[in-house]
Amino acid sequence: MSITSRYREAWEGFWREASDEPGAVFWDAEPALTASLHLALFEPHMTAVGLPVVDLGCGNGTQTRFLANRFPRVLGVDLSAAALDHARRADPAGQVDFRQLDVVEKSEAEQLHAEIGDVNIYMRGVLHQCESDDRQPLLDGIATLLGERGRAFLVELSERARPVLMELLQGPAGPPPKLAPIFAHGLAPADVVDDVVEGYVEAAGLRIIDSDDLPLASTEFTPDGVRIELPARWLVLGH
């Protein structure tokens, strides 16, 4: 079994068991706390007019639908067919074009770029979940989709998120209900060392145009009622 196949099966299992209820998934925070904040940072870097926007790793499409209200053409793509089933059920009017895509596979990225041309990419929390051998091909695929004119906005958990997650998992009350399924399916959040990300970017022929720290909001709360936020960093990439 290839690394990508194992990864795909883990996500299929996760999304098959996930609820359609808004906020049921740990990272499925409302756009006001996620994509809306990110878009304010990303839009100044969208220098080419009219490019499609691709939500890469769209999951159940919560952020994709938000983006579709702001841009003429938005595609939501994900490795998992089960995730896309959730996304399409939540979009009965068919506002968004949801497609299954493994951007790690060079031919799939090239085929999509040949179809729709250069794109802008929004990607939240995908790189840090990838198997280590898939991370460079992921950035290479992003570079293909961007072409010469596109820009990518990536939000990734920093390595400082890992001890926070471990503390939550090992708490006296056990792991929070929305966090436990992630680990139960063999997924590994916050598993990327911060310093290596720049190397992946450079090897893909891209550059970091802008970056900063910004916590990533979850849908889970502490016993005291405080929303759990994880240390994260955002990056704008382009050729």
Side-chain angles (χ1 to χ4, degrees):
M1 181 184 295
S2 72
I3 289 175
T4 298
S5 295
R6 191 213 69 82
Y7 179 67
R8 186 195 301 269
E9 290 186 8
W11 279 111
E12 292 292 0
F14 174 86
W15 281 112
R16 279 195 297 267
E17 295 180 9
S19 168
D20 276 336
E21 182 183 351
V25 173
F26 182 76
W27 56 80
D28 193 30
E30 56 267 35
L33 300 175
T34 49
S36 179
L37 301 179
H38 301 150
L39 195 56
L41 300 167
F42 187 23
E43 279 192 301
H45 298 285
M46 292 181 173
T47 53
V49 177
L51 297 188
V53 175
V54 173
D55 183 5
L56 181 54
C58 67
N60 63 1
T62 299
Q63 314 307 320
T64 328
R65 294 190 299 277
F66 170 84
L67 295 171
N69 287 324
R70 285 149 180 80
F71 298 101
R73 186 175 186 188
V74 174
L75 282 75
V77 302
D78 202 278
L79 180 70
S80 167
L84 297 173
D85 288 342
H86 282 276
R88 293 186 182 109
R89 285 196 296 270
D91 182 34
Q95 182 182 17
V96 178
D97 181 5
F98 288 109
R99 304 189 190 186
Q100 189 170 15
L101 178 76
D102 183 0
V103 75
V104 169
E105 292 293 333
K106 182 179 180 182
S107 61
E108 294 192 29
E110 290 175 339
Q111 183 176 347
L112 183 58
H113 184 262
E115 177 188 343
I116 64 176
D118 294 357
V119 303
N120 290 316
I121 291 174
Y122 176 71
M123 188 177 87
R124 185 173 62 104
V126 174
L127 180 65
H128 77 89
Q129 289 276 16
C130 280
E131 298 281 1
S132 58
D133 286 356
D134 284 345
R135 291 169 191 157
Q136 187 61 60
L138 172 64
L139 266 296
D140 294 343
I142 288 171
T144 296
L145 292 174
L146 294 181
E148 293 302 318
R149 299 177 298 153
R151 296 287 184 263
F153 187 88
L154 277 55
V155 187
E156 294 294 336
L157 295 185
S158 73
E159 61 189 68
R160 293 181 293 115
R162 187 73 176 180
V164 176
L165 288 166
M166 292 301 102
E167 184 177 353
L168 290 170
L169 282 173
Q170 298 165 7
K178 296 177 186 178
L179 186 59
I182 299 172
F183 288 88
H185 284 280
L187 304 169
D191 203 29
V192 177
V193 178
D194 295 346
D195 290 345
V196 306
V197 175
E198 187 171 343
Y200 294 139
V201 172
E202 292 178 356
L206 299 172
R207 65 187 177 96
I208 298 175
I209 298 169
D210 199 3
S211 66
D212 206 347
D213 293 331
L214 183 70
L216 196 57
S218 78
T219 61
E220 191 64 274
F221 294 82
T222 68
D224 298 329
V226 177
R227 183 184 296 272
I228 295 172
E229 294 184 332
L230 299 174
R233 184 185 183 207
W234 59 267
L235 309 134
V236 176
L237 310 179
H239 282 284

